Amino acid sequence: MDDPGLADAGVSAREAEVLDLLGDALSHAEIAARLVLSVRTVESHVAALRRKLKLDDHRSLVQLAVSRRGQRRAAARLPAPLTSFVGRTAELAELSQALREARLVTAVGPGGVGKTRLSIAAAQRMAETFPDGRWYVDLVPVTEAAALPAAIVGALGLAEASGRTPEQVLVTGIGDRKALLLLDNCEHLLDGVAMLTERLLTQCQHLVVLATSRIRMVVPHERVYRVPSLSVSPDGAGDATDLFRERATAAGGSAADTADLPRTATLCQALDGSALAIELAAARLPSLGWQALTAGLSDRMRLLAGGSRQQQRQQSLEQTLDWSYRLLTDVEQAVLRRVSVFATPFSAAAAQQICAFAEIEPAAVPAALSRLSDHNLMVPTTGADGQRWFALETIRQYGARQLEQAAEQEVYERHLRWCLETAARLDAETRDGQQWRVAFDAVADDLRAALGWAADRQPKPEQAGPLALIAARLLFLRGRPAESQRRYESAASLTDDPAARAGALARAAAVAKCRVDAPAALRLERSAADNALAAGDLVSAAVTTARAAELVSRFRGMFAEGKDEQLFEELMARADELGGGHLRAEAAILSARANDRNPTPAGPTTVVQQALERAREAGDPVIESAALDALTLAQTFGHDVVAAGTTARQRVLLLADLPLQPEVALELKDALHVAVFTCLGAGDLPAALRYAQSHQALPFLQEEQHLAADELLAPYALSGRWHQLDLACAVFADGWRAAGRPVGPGRALGPAAAAMVLGMRGDDAARREWLGILATMHDVDLADAGVGTGYGEVFDALLALHLDRPDEALRRLSAPATGFYGQVFSQWSAALTVEAAALTGTADESALSAAADAVAGNPVAAALVRRAAALAAGDRTGVIATASAFEHAGCRYQSARTLLLAGGPDRDAGLLAMQALG
């Protein structure tokens, strides 16, 4: 008996056993059989327990027993490491604090950095924080997201129940316990873990989840803790050297071996502070000595895997595997080395496709896999799609070495063909929903491995180019645009056909545009045009050159230096030279010319209409979308923001149902971007928010969440959804900083809106921080952040009015609305001007009438003008009447402000409404 509380109550060891079995829901008869006692003796023990523990009835005794059972299980859930935990004092404190503040914490870092050990140490030290349980689940054996709930149920020791899913068992088993669930090694199951933990955290209100992964889950409620490498300084201080010295000493190292701290620090720095690498190196110091250990870093994989550098008396891992390998039949040896080409778990059918040649028949492969499992050289696992096989990484690397020695080139060729077939099947499945994502994640490393092998071959395998193209598209749709761009570029390098190179490079350019990397997009687009010209395809060369020119002008906000006028004209001249009057080329050239962002057009010009007509005649929706963007611009400068919003919606509808190739995705992303700010300018806040949410959901932006979140900032700010604004701001700011704080005037609307809201809240320090972001994005001094943008003046006026400074608002709005955004927000500017005038007592009937005409079709601006007129007339009833108009227009902030402006008995309601906004 290990419970002092029971001992103090006089409970005997036998009585404690009876109590524990009651907690396992055994009857008296079952307890008697288990302990080889009579039922009467068990009943006597039960009566004694009730008396000694001062419990009134049997039910209370059973409840106590069940509680003890939970405590016993909780205490046994964390693994007991066999070595001491060294250092990491600051990291332990930080991770522990994160677990106190957030309900989902992901410890992120590269393999070997020590995520698992740190997380277990933190969990071990938080018994008081999680009194009802601390559970550990290793997800390495779990290969499919569908198997996650059942795996966790098993690890927690919960009993399965007929008629209930594993997830239901989990929810019931965890209940309202204040517990910690540690999910280790999540990187291969990120989507599944994210969805399951969200459901568990929603239904189990006191549960906290700590996950370890190489990649963050990218969910809004996730707190990411980046596990750093072990600290080390040149003088030898730090956790890295402490760990090395302790492990080296434990391995038999002498005091002299570990006394040289500078040399130890140098070694640990060379190993990048990786906890795993440091431990492996330390274990070899006594046998190798410093000179050999340091020299071996040039081939550290062999060194740290255990090899010939060890003393002969010590058996190496390679020697152990050699022995196992010699025990296999020739067929089993061939299968082991051939399946080492797989980087991920594989099916028996896939293994047959790779292995069944020369002396091996297809039917022999599954049997060989089974026998390899018996030898502990292969691990079978069952997922939603049936049985799969994998080898532990050390064994896989051993098999790969044997494959290299056998020089079986055909294995790599077969693997490349298998990857192409698999990728093509997944590509077809992308049209049927999201199920393909899990399957793609399961084979992505195989596709990468096959392409890496093909890149080194001469001549290039014919399947390599097509595989790179499909992999690039799948990566794009999977939300990995950076790698997608690289794969499109590699597809170009894997073919000798200039036409194929041109197509791959054009798509790489489109992906770069989606990533807002204009310099890379321009480089790739010009290279694509050169290759199209080399292929003799003058039309494609002209179209691509025109698209490059369009990039320089239409997307000038992507360039730190703005539009390069000379380059634009050079590219346009080249496109004209190549076009030769072909319809599609003419459409692209006209579209590029129409998108020459001239700030003075009075309405849809002839070139815009011509571009639209040619694009429609050519049947090219991408060029048509670009021409519609030019029409939006012309309508905006023609002072018809409402029509511009309608055209933006038309673009979205044109593109929404097209296959999401990168060039289409770029136009759709931009169409949603334009729809957001034109709808904002036209006062259609609900539509602006819907388009911003559609933009955020674009699959190819999931890797770079700041690009997905930026469109949400202004709709959230203007509509009064300030709690949601906080979350979006955090995502945007983190991503923007991680991206290197890029200049991007075209994406600065959201930060300006965020700075406005922070000013309304009175958080001057945070407002200054966001004005700094705004200034950096415009590449101007802090004092000039937002100046001359059009929206900057409107947002500053809104803030000044909020702070009851109408004179300041009038000054900010006094400059004429110039530039594109000045036109977009011209109706807001007109409405806010008359409100500020009304509050200063300078509004007149003619100004109010002119403003009412100027804001026609804009529900928010129209309500602002009506409220200004009521304020000017001292009509309190008229002021209050506009509150419902603002609410109907989705503008919660202005609705609350109306009550404040009305004053009297409505002021308190206005204050409460303003507080509710955040």
Side-chain angles (χ1 to χ4, degrees):
M1 182 175 63
D2 57 0
D3 189 327
L6 294 183
D8 291 344
V11 174
S12 69
R14 177 63 81 183
E15 288 166 349
E17 287 183 293
V18 171
L19 183 62
D20 288 342
L21 293 174
L22 282 173
D24 290 333
L26 271 63
S27 67
H28 288 186
E30 290 170 328
I31 294 172
R34 180 76 61 87
L35 299 179
V36 195
L37 301 172
S38 68
V39 173
R40 179 171 296 180
T41 301
V42 172
E43 291 172 347
S44 175
H45 286 318
V46 169
L49 283 165
R50 285 175 52 191
R51 183 179 68 258
K52 293 176 179 180
L53 298 174
K54 296 181 172 57
L55 298 173
D56 295 332
D57 51 35
H58 186 72
R59 179 180 181 183
S60 299
L61 181 63
V62 172
Q63 288 176 337
L64 174 64
V66 171
S67 175
R68 277 176 46 80
R69 175 178 178 267
Q71 291 170 3
R72 295 198 316 275
R73 288 188 169 185
R77 287 302 166 204
L78 294 176
L82 299 177
T83 55
S84 61
F85 184 77
V86 177
R88 297 278 203 186
T89 303
E91 292 91 332
L92 264 178
E94 292 165 356
L95 182 54
S96 299
Q97 186 62 30
L99 291 169
R100 295 185 184 97
E101 296 174 350
R103 296 189 60 211
L104 172 61
V105 178
T106 307
V108 175
V113 77
K115 302 183 294 295
T116 298
R117 196 63 191 277
L118 176 65
S119 298
I120 291 173
Q124 287 173 327
R125 301 184 185 196
M126 300 188 73
E128 293 184 3
T129 305
F130 303 105
D132 299 329
R134 290 162 294 148
W135 302 303
Y136 172 86
V137 185
D138 185 4
L139 297 185
V140 167
V142 184
T143 59
E144 297 290 340
L148 269 172
I152 299 174
V153 164
L156 268 59
L158 299 174
E160 296 184 3
S162 59
R164 299 170 66 202
T165 66
E167 186 174 320
Q168 291 170 332
V169 172
L170 266 180
V171 171
T172 303
I174 296 172
D176 61 355
R177 295 184 185 184
K178 191 171 184 180
L180 174 68
L181 177 61
L182 171 49
L183 301 177
D184 196 17
N185 300 302
C186 298
E187 53 267 3
H188 59 307
L189 296 167
L190 281 183
D191 287 345
V193 171
M195 290 187 289
L196 178 60
T197 54
E198 182 175 357
R199 292 194 290 266
L200 289 178
L201 292 171
T202 300
Q203 298 179 73
C204 304
Q205 59 180 339
H206 297 303
L207 177 68
V208 173
V209 175
L210 170 58
T212 73
S213 176
R214 297 184 184 187
I215 309 170
R216 61 172 296 186
M217 292 185 211
V218 195
V219 291
H221 53 284
E222 175 190 26
R223 169 78 69 86
V224 175
Y225 179 76
R226 299 193 179 280
V227 179
S229 299
L230 290 170
S231 61
V232 60
S233 61
D235 64 1
D239 292 342
T241 51
D242 289 346
L243 178 65
F244 182 91
R245 296 174 70 194
E246 178 168 315
R247 296 295 190 261
T249 300
S254 66
D257 286 337
T258 58
D260 191 340
L261 286 180
R263 182 157 57 174
T264 302
T266 300
L267 175 70
C268 292
Q269 287 174 328
L271 294 172
D272 303 314
S274 166
L276 176 61
I278 288 168
E279 288 191 328
L280 290 170
R284 283 146 182 76
L285 178 61
S287 57
L288 293 179
W290 272 109
Q291 184 175 357
L293 183 61
T294 304
L297 291 180
S298 61
D299 189 9
R300 66 184 62 182
M301 295 309 296
R302 178 186 294 274
L303 172 74
L304 300 181
S308 59
R309 291 180 181 84
Q310 288 186 316
Q311 294 179 6
Q312 189 61 41
R313 63 181 179 84
Q314 290 186 311
Q315 188 181 43
S316 71
L317 181 60
E318 185 172 12
Q319 289 171 329
T320 301
L321 292 175
D322 280 340
W323 174 255
S324 298
Y325 191 69
R326 286 193 293 268
L327 294 176
L328 303 175
T329 67
D330 290 345
V331 171
E332 291 162 0
Q333 288 182 352
V335 169
L336 179 64
R337 65 175 180 264
R338 291 176 186 179
V339 297
S340 70
V341 76
F342 286 108
T344 59
F346 52 89
S347 66
Q352 286 175 311
Q353 191 169 340
I354 301 302
C355 299
F357 66 92
E359 75 279 10
I360 299 181
E361 296 294 329
V365 175
L369 290 172
S370 180
R371 289 192 292 274
L372 289 170
S373 175
D374 293 339
H375 283 271
N376 294 308
L377 294 172
M378 200 64 60
V379 181
T381 182
T382 303
D385 57 349
Q387 188 176 56
R388 287 182 173 269
W389 302 84
F390 69 95
L392 297 177
E393 180 61 17
T394 299
I395 297 171
R396 194 199 68 79
Q397 290 188 14
Y398 176 85
R401 185 175 300 179
Q402 297 299 319
L403 180 61
E404 183 179 357
Q405 292 173 358
E408 293 180 310
Q409 177 83 4
E410 186 174 346
V411 172
Y412 299 101
E413 296 168 354
R414 285 171 168 262
H415 182 246
L416 179 63
R417 289 196 295 271
W418 175 82
C419 286
L420 179 57
E421 293 170 7
T422 302
R425 185 183 69 252
L426 290 172
D427 190 39
E429 292 173 1
T430 59
R431 297 158 182 79
D432 299 327
Q434 305 300 322
Q435 295 302 315
W436 67 273
R437 291 168 173 252
V438 173
F440 171 74
D441 289 345
V443 300
D445 282 342
D446 271 304
L447 306 188
R448 295 182 181 107
L451 289 170
W453 172 80
D456 295 331
R457 305 275 80 76
Q458 288 297 341
K460 302 300 183 188
E462 61 179 348
Q463 297 91 352
L467 174 59
L469 285 173
I470 298 175
R473 171 175 150 75
L474 292 173
L475 286 162
F476 182 71
L477 295 178
R478 190 64 185 89
R480 302 285 186 265
E483 185 179 357
S484 172
Q485 179 183 324
R486 293 195 301 271
R487 293 299 172 191
Y488 275 122
E489 292 187 63
S490 71
S493 70
L494 288 168
T495 178
D496 295 325
D497 179 4
R501 282 201 300 271
L505 291 168
R507 287 195 167 165
V511 177
K513 292 178 190 177
C514 290
R515 299 181 60 234
V516 198
D517 187 351
L522 182 60
R523 167 182 60 81
L524 291 164
E525 212 144 41
R526 298 184 77 173
S527 182
D530 290 342
N531 277 278
L533 186 61
D537 186 351
L538 297 182
V539 174
S540 293
V543 169
T544 306
T545 303
R547 297 290 283 175
E550 186 178 277
L551 168 65
V552 172
S553 179
R554 178 184 171 200
F555 297 112
R556 67 178 67 182
M558 290 187 189
F559 293 91
E561 65 278 3
K563 178 184 175 184
D564 185 332
E565 195 70 48
Q566 181 178 352
L567 177 60
F568 174 76
E569 292 300 339
E570 289 175 359
L571 290 168
M572 289 301 299
R574 181 62 171 160
D576 282 328
E577 177 185 346
L578 295 169
H582 188 278
L583 183 60
R584 182 165 174 264
E586 185 180 353
I589 293 167
L590 286 168
S591 173
R593 186 62 72 185
N595 276 288
D596 183 5
R597 301 285 175 162
N598 185 340
T600 59
T605 61
T606 301
V607 68
V608 173
Q609 295 295 349
Q610 288 177 338
L612 273 173
E613 291 170 6
R614 296 297 185 277
R616 287 165 179 164
E617 289 174 24
D620 192 319
V622 172
I623 298 178
E624 182 181 348
S625 171
L628 284 171
D629 192 29
L631 177 59
T632 304
L633 176 73
Q635 290 167 330
T636 302
F637 278 109
H639 306 288
D640 196 346
V641 178
V642 174
T646 300
T647 302
R649 290 181 173 91
Q650 184 180 347
R651 281 183 72 198
V652 174
L653 290 174
L654 172 68
L655 300 163
D657 294 330
L658 295 177
L660 207 57
Q661 298 289 0
E663 58 271 26
V664 174
L666 167 69
E667 284 297 327
L668 179 58
K669 177 182 183 297
D670 183 68
L672 290 167
H673 167 68
V674 174
V676 169
F677 63 70
T678 53
C679 286
L680 287 175
D684 192 347
L685 301 186
L689 183 56
R690 287 196 303 273
Y691 287 124
Q693 290 167 336
S694 296
H695 180 273
Q696 183 191 31
L698 290 172
F700 53 88
L701 294 181
Q702 299 313 298
E703 181 184 75
E704 300 178 9
Q705 277 288 295
H706 63 294
L707 297 181
D710 64 347
E711 301 296 348
L712 291 165
L713 304 187
Y716 281 156
L718 291 174
S719 65
R721 299 173 184 269
W722 293 352
H723 293 294
Q724 293 162 290
L725 174 65
D726 290 338
L727 295 174
C729 280
V731 172
F732 177 86
D734 288 347
W736 178 75
R737 293 186 184 107
R741 303 171 182 262
V743 172
R747 299 176 54 228
L749 173 67
M756 173 192 73
V757 170
L758 290 166
M760 290 177 172
R761 285 173 160 172
D763 192 342
D764 293 337
R767 170 173 165 78
R768 183 176 179 83
E769 179 183 351
W770 277 85
L771 288 175
I773 293 176
L774 181 63
T776 301
M777 295 184 75
H778 277 287
D779 196 21
V780 297
D781 294 335
L782 182 64
D784 296 324
V787 174
T789 60
Y791 56 76
E793 285 73 14
V794 167
F795 293 158
D796 283 351
L798 283 166
L799 174 57
L801 290 169
H802 178 86
L803 299 176
D804 197 21
R805 300 172 186 168
D807 290 327
E808 182 180 331
L810 282 174
R811 286 195 301 273
R812 293 296 287 126
L813 295 167
S814 61
T818 60
F820 179 61
Y821 283 106
Q823 299 299 324
V824 170
F825 285 92
S826 60
Q827 293 182 321
W828 286 78
S829 180
L832 293 172
T833 298
V834 294
E835 176 173 317
L839 291 173
T840 58
T842 60
D844 57 47
E845 288 293 335
S846 62
L848 288 166
S849 177
D853 291 339
V855 302
N858 184 319
V860 177
L864 286 170
V865 172
R866 291 200 303 273
R867 189 173 70 188
L871 288 169
D875 179 6
R876 184 173 177 279
T877 301
V879 172
I880 294 174
T882 62
S884 60
F886 286 121
E887 194 70 35
H888 182 72
C891 195
R892 299 175 182 176
Y893 166 75
Q894 291 296 344
S895 178
R897 175 170 162 76
T898 297
L899 299 177
L900 291 175
L901 288 171
D906 295 294
R907 179 172 176 78
D908 288 343
L911 285 171
L912 289 174
M914 198 68 75
Q915 290 171 357
L917 298 179

